[in-house]
Amino acid sequence: MDTSVMITLGFLVFAIIMFAWEKIPLSVTAMIVAVGLHLSGVLSAKAAFAGFVDANVLLFMGMFIIGAAFFETGVAVEVGNVVNRFAKTETTLIIAVMMITGIMSGFLSNTGTAAVLIPVIIGICKRSGFKQTKLLMPLVFAAAMGGNLSLIGAPGNMIAQAGLQQAGLGSFNFFDYGLVGLPMLLIGTIFYAAIGKRFLPDAPSHEADASYNDNDDYGHVPSWKKWTAALVLILTIVAMIFEKQLGVKLYVSAWIGALVLVATGVISETAAVKSIDMKTILLFAGSMALGDAMVSTGTGAVIADLIVNSLGSSPSPLVVLVVLFILGVFMTNFMSNTATCALLVPIGLSLANQLGFDPKAVLVAIVIASSLAYATPIGMPANTMVYNIAGYSFMDYVKAGLPLIIVSSIVALILLPILFPF
């Protein structure tokens, strides 16, 4: 085994242990891994720190500022008042939050959807007395599930589409993933409303960051500031929806909105800078280095090949489905679902060709499995965003996310052989 692969595997094991143990902050562990991968020669300095200029980090930063303005002007609380009229219990709120988030996420970036809705949920919690810890995790889980509703719901969906087309094997229809994704969203929402909410923490596991102003009195805020904060958020969402038509990236739209809010004085420069949660950015950027190392050194491919090769020369289609699915779920909780799909799609196509399976069936299984990143705060950007805001711990994600992974896997593994037979 190549030395770089062994080093990367060592850092992966180190990260898993330290994330679960949490004796030092997760952001520090992530950056130790990034620095270590560079000093050991696995990654160049540029690659190790590339996460700081990643599109998702830039999106985080812009949306943190827009979210802070949306909250500090009192607009989030006013929106929360409207929602409270229709959803007066924790259970109905969970259902409303997960369904709205899931549907939006099917057509928008799931990270962008979560970023837009986080301040709204905080506003609801402050007004109604419901606990943020009970609503922010269902929000980000629903954002991930919603990514499976359409072809454009998540980057991994398009990676599978591109792989299929490059191989000359046709293409997916716009709502093909949704045949599995929609039942998963519906059943996942019902599960959380009925049972899953019991696995959510009642209180922060560590001190939650004061990402948004604690002041409940917004009477002093001029009306023009409230209208501007609301209008900027709405226009940012519209720009995200029409990203391709406008030719403007999500993070650019977010930064245009953030700059307008600061330039007009809706939020001060100091408040804008304070709203950017560096713990979240350090955690995400450091974790990206590990994901990059797993791809560039071939460590991810080695793990995948070892498991796939252990299946033998003529394995049962059901066994292949289950193994590929479990592999995808494991990998996506420690690297991005985009990277997971990028690794597994060519392996899946090769496997389908060797064993005579339907490539569409194999790729849909990989895409769905790669979306089940619920069990760690680094599994997807939205998970990372709420980690500090809600004061969650690594084990909170394991306790709340693992049951949803099991439920979602059961739904997927029942539907996949029926809707996409191998």
Side-chain angles (χ1 to χ4, degrees), residues 106-130:
F107 305 97
L108 282 172
S109 151
N110 47 26
T111 308
T113 299
V116 164
L117 293 178
I118 284 168
V120 176
I121 299 307
I122 293 172
I124 291 171
C125 292
K126 290 185 71 63
R127 181 66 180 174
S128 63
F130 291 118

Side-chain angles (χ1 to χ4, degrees), residues 130-156:
F130 291 118
K131 298 170 181 175
Q132 293 181 24
T133 53
K134 292 288 191 182
L135 290 173
L136 288 177
M137 211 177 278
L139 165 72
V140 296
F141 291 167
M145 288 189 280
N148 290 324
L149 294 185
S150 74
L151 188 61
I152 61 171

Side-chain angles (χ1 to χ4, degrees), residues 27 31 75 83 147 158 161 229 267 272 364 368-369 381 392 395 417:
S27 57
M31 290 309 301
V75 182
V83 175
M158 294 302 297
Q161 173 83 317
I267 184 171
V364 171
I368 298 295
Y392 291 130
M395 291 309 297

Side-chain angles (χ1 to χ4, degrees), residues 6 41-42 72 86 93 121 140 156 166 193 204 215 238 269 272-273 285 303 312 336 357 359 371 374 380 389 407 412:
M6 294 179 67
V42 174
E72 291 187 12
F86 304 97
L93 260 179
I121 299 307
V140 296
Q166 286 170 2
N215 184 10
V238 171
E269 180 189 11
V273 172
I303 295 171
S336 76
F357 295 156
S371 72
Y374 314 139
M380 55 185 172
I389 291 174
V407 170

Side-chain angles (χ1 to χ4, degrees), residues 20-37:
W21 194 26
E22 226 167 337
K23 282 294 182 183
I24 58 176
L26 266 62
S27 57
V28 176
T29 295
M31 290 309 301
I32 289 172
V33 170
V35 171
L37 287 167

Side-chain angles (χ1 to χ4, degrees), residues 111-280:
T111 308
T113 299
V116 164
L117 293 178
I118 284 168
V120 176
I121 299 307
I122 293 172
I124 291 171
C125 292
K126 290 185 71 63
R127 181 66 180 174
S128 63
F130 291 118
K131 298 170 181 175
Q132 293 181 24
T133 53
K134 292 288 191 182
L135 290 173
L136 288 177
M137 211 177 278
L139 165 72
V140 296
F141 291 167
M145 288 189 280
N148 290 324
L149 294 185
S150 74
L151 188 61
I152 61 171
N157 302 11
M158 294 302 297
I159 288 173
Q161 173 83 317
L164 201 62
Q165 290 173 339
Q166 286 170 2
L169 299 170
S171 60
F172 291 108
N173 295 321
F174 190 76
F175 287 113
D176 272 355
Y177 297 120
L179 296 174
V180 180
L182 182 58
M184 282 174 58
L185 174 61
L186 292 172
I187 292 172
T189 301
I190 293 168
F191 168 74
Y192 251 92
I195 300 169
K197 60 186 178 183
R198 299 174 190 172
F199 301 117
L200 295 164
D202 288 316
S205 299
H206 64 82
E207 186 178 353
D209 281 359
S211 301
Y212 300 102
N213 198 322
D214 291 328
N215 184 10
D216 288 325
D217 179 16
Y218 303 103
H220 66 285
V221 179
S223 295
W224 72 267
K225 285 192 174 185
K226 294 185 178 185
W227 281 106
T228 304
L231 186 61
V232 165
L233 180 64
I234 291 167
L235 290 177
T236 302
I237 295 171
V238 171
M240 287 179 175
I241 293 172
F242 295 104
E243 177 191 11
K244 290 182 180 176
Q245 291 87 337
L246 293 172
V248 180
K249 297 289 186 182
L250 299 181
Y251 60 88
V252 177
S253 295
W255 268 102
I256 291 171
L259 291 170
V260 167
L261 291 169
V262 176
T264 56
V266 173
I267 184 171
S268 69
E269 180 189 11
T270 301
V273 172
K274 282 184 178 178
S275 72
I276 298 172
D277 183 4
M278 282 306 299
K279 293 179 185 176
T280 297

